Amino acid sequence: MTQRGEKGEPIIEIEKLTTGFGSQIIHKDLDLTIKRGEIIGIVGGSGTGKSVLLKAIIGLVKPRAGSIRIFGEDVLQMSDREHRAIDRRLGVLFQDGALFSAMTVAQNVIAPLREHLHLSPELQQEIASMKITLSGLPLDAATKYPSELSGGMRKRAGLARALAMDPDIVFLDEPTAGLDPIGAAKFDDLIINLKESLGLTVFMVTHDLDSLHRACDRIAVLAEKKVRAIGPLEEVRKTDHPWIQEYFSGPRGRAALASSVQEQDSSGDKEARVE
Amino acid sequence: MSVAAFELQETGDGWRLEAKGTWSLGAGLGDIDGKLRRFSDKTMSKSLKIDLSGVETMDTAGAMMLQRTMRACSQREEMAEDNALFGFEHVKEGYKSLLAAAANHLSPCEIDVKQGSAFVLMLERVGRGTEELMYEILRLVSYLGEVLVGLYTVLSRPKRLRMTSIVHHMEESGLNATLIVGLMSFLIGAVIAFMGATVLAQFGAQIFVVELIGITVLREFGVLLTAILIAGRSGSAFTAAIGSMKLREEVDAMEAMGIDPLEALVLPRLIAMVFVLPALTFIATMMGLIGGGLVAWLQMDISPAMFLTRTQDIIVVENFMVGMVKAPFFAFAISVIGCYQGMRVEGSAEELGRHTTISVVQSLFIVILLDAAFAIFFMELNI
């Protein structure tokens, strides 16, 4: 089941995807390939269907046409049973955590374990506490209810739940939205750290330019119902497209770039001094 | 794909654990956990080597179990805290970081909120429940006062009445409920007639079925059943609507803008309800009479003309008025409780459901209590 493949091989392949609601078409013939072990950032203006794309991949929105292959298997042609087997290998962090409000954080984290596996209470407890601390929450947060947590903590708890089943791919819907800059930067570090240590593939919908600079290996820009540009940040920002130019060269885009360059410089200095 | 497994060998100075197969939760890690735990419980302070050469894949749970075993068995001084791979052999490159991550997150946490013994818990709940009941009554009365003051302010300056909102709620809780209220009363009228017919026939007093239907429907059933139906239908809707607005901070937003939620949300619903419930009661009463009359005609050969004449003869206006006069009071109670419970919602979706339930239960209770009070009142007045 958790046969982890080679880094860099395609893990999600989307071909000619068309989605829409009513008479409105959201995506038209969209192609996107995500590689194992990367953090891919999905950006785009409001209403370009970033969240819809995420929902289409995890099976919450039914596409009108096209194919989506996860782990090399076509998820649109699957029976519900097969689809659930794939679902177990995906973790999703919804925008506000989407924690079950009637359960404590720890109960939230073990909810998928209870549902899918038969484990002893001790093992469940150990796994829950590991995921909770891995997500950067203190242990005493385990017995708190979601309504007692701050927004940032709810996101971390949501991430802990997303990681409960040891997913191969984690989907994050605007993970840093609503966090203060320090909290957002810590969350970025957490994602990078988890990617490194657990070998995760991360699909991240975000508006946060700093996140894009810091965390993402590749960036895909959604515009005009398609992926208009994809690649490392440096390549994407050179694309000749009015929205992309405005996005990366606007005042916020330049500020984020400046701060990330500065950071690289100072870390470079440090290395130089050590040598 | 092979399942998770391990083999133990006793070596000269300790144990050697050979992990094999797929060390992931999906491949039966849960099944060998107990065995591994028993091993580490009885093998304290011995040197342990864990050989990972046979491991095909491993997930975080697998790494955690191995680290847990390692830490439990080899609590020796030379074991460096920062060396996460201490004691492990043949670790594949990809799993080093996984083992390191697992080593740092081993301390177990509580899952459920701590609870005392069942008896103490029961006593606590009874105590809390009693206290809560007292405060609930106080709060409800105080809210009633608030609503009355708000009502007075708005009525003394009728420009502040929100007509659009009132009409909307009249449609929502009145017009849209006519069909179900009418149908229900029609059936209830018919059922009373049937019951009456069977019992009264034994005394040869079938003709009194007209009195039976007239008095029960006019005085009690018309208004009471309408109120019960509306409490379930619209009272709960008030709670749910206001409650979800509170959850999404819409009510806070209103207050921040200087809009009084009482004036914008509660009073329009209240006023609409006070107008609409008597109208529904009237419809219900008429439909009840028609239902009863129809059964009397078909079952007992009391012709509609005779039914009407007899009804006019005996059923004095008082009976009708007794029923109708109760309707606005019931309407008031239902909408105040519905809105009050909505305003009390805080925190989570769970709370919203809880308050909606409480809203319906409280409205029904208060409606029936009021009805009983009215019955005693009218009896004293000999009406």
Side-chain angles (χ1 to χ4, degrees), chain B residues 53-94:
Chain B
S53 54
V55 171
E56 290 159 24
T57 55
M58 181 165 72
D59 67 2
T60 51
M64 186 270 295
M65 281 167 58
L66 289 173
Q67 278 289 6
R68 186 193 65 208
T69 313
M70 176 58 77
R71 303 272 149 148
C73 292
S74 46
Q75 286 170 340
R76 291 174 308 165
E77 309 214 332
E78 67 256 41
M79 182 164 172
E81 264 301 309
D82 53 345
N83 186 3
L85 298 178
F86 179 86
F88 288 96
E89 287 172 355
H90 305 292
V91 184
K92 286 188 193 125
E93 196 52 46

Side-chain angles (χ1 to χ4, degrees), chain B residues 284-332:
Chain B
T285 311
M286 292 306 127
M287 289 305 286
L289 286 181
I290 293 173
L294 204 65
V295 170
W297 183 27
L298 297 176
Q299 188 79 6
M300 287 167 274
D301 290 330
I302 301 171
S303 72
M306 190 154 126
F307 187 87
L308 268 184
T309 339
R310 216 173 147 73
T311 307
Q312 278 172 341
D313 277 353
I314 351 162
I315 317 282
V316 273
V317 169
E318 269 124 57
N319 276 328
F320 173 70
M321 286 312 288
V322 162
M324 288 301 284
V325 86
K326 292 191 270 194
F329 290 92
F330 290 176
F332 197 85

Side-chain angles (χ1 to χ4, degrees), chain B residues 23-254:
Chain B
W23 274 65
S24 67
L25 281 176
L29 258 194
D31 305 332
I32 61 166
D33 181 55
K35 206 169 130 197
L36 195 62
R37 217 179 274 276
R38 278 194 297 281
F39 164 72
S40 59
D41 282 348
K42 64 175 190 229
T43 341
M44 281 289 281
S45 70
K46 279 209 172 180
S47 158
L48 176 70
K49 293 273 180 242
I50 295 181
D51 185 353
L52 293 186
S53 54
V55 171
E56 290 159 24
T57 55
M58 181 165 72
D59 67 2
T60 51
M64 186 270 295
M65 281 167 58
L66 289 173
Q67 278 289 6
R68 186 193 65 208
T69 313
M70 176 58 77
R71 303 272 149 148
C73 292
S74 46
Q75 286 170 340
R76 291 174 308 165
E77 309 214 332
E78 67 256 41
M79 182 164 172
E81 264 301 309
D82 53 345
N83 186 3
L85 298 178
F86 179 86
F88 288 96
E89 287 172 355
H90 305 292
V91 184
K92 286 188 193 125
E93 196 52 46
Y95 298 133
K96 283 183 178 164
S97 55
L98 203 58
L99 281 171
N104 296 327
H105 301 284
L106 278 178
S107 40
C109 67
E110 297 291 328
I111 301 285
D112 309 300
V113 180
K114 268 215 157 46
Q115 289 180 333
S117 78
F119 182 68
V120 176
L121 218 64
M122 187 198 77
L123 284 184
E124 192 187 319
R125 274 179 72 170
V126 171
R128 276 185 202 284
T130 316
E131 193 195 9
E132 184 52 32
L133 182 68
M134 192 183 78
Y135 284 124
E136 182 78 3
I137 292 170
L138 280 179
R139 278 194 301 257
L140 196 58
V141 172
S142 115
Y143 194 73
L144 181 68
E146 219 175 295
V147 169
L148 286 175
V149 171
L151 199 60
Y152 172 76
T153 333
V154 168
L155 291 183
S156 59
R157 268 174 295 171
K159 266 191 183 167
R160 286 173 67 176
L161 272 179
R162 289 161 195 263
M163 283 314 291
T164 327
S165 182
I166 293 177
V167 172
H168 168 77
H169 287 298
M170 282 173 129
E171 184 190 343
E172 196 69 10
S173 356
L175 194 63
N176 292 350
T178 18
L179 195 69
I180 183 73
V181 166
L183 183 68
M184 191 191 59
S185 319
F186 178 83
L187 292 175
I188 293 288
V191 168
I192 294 172
F194 266 120
M195 303 266 292
T198 349
V199 178
L200 292 173
Q202 295 172 356
F203 308 104
Q206 273 177 328
I207 193 65
F208 284 105
V209 81
V210 182
E211 275 89 341
L212 178 72
I213 296 166
I215 292 175
T216 50
V217 169
L218 286 180
R219 272 186 97 104
E220 291 293 340
F221 283 158
V223 61
L224 196 60
L225 288 174
T226 311
I228 287 173
L229 198 83
I230 292 301
R233 187 185 176 280
S234 308
S236 60
F238 289 176
T239 311
I242 295 179
S244 59
M245 286 180 82
K246 269 216 82 175
L247 283 183
R248 298 197 305 179
E249 295 184 315
E250 288 174 47
V251 176
D252 292 348
M254 274 185 186

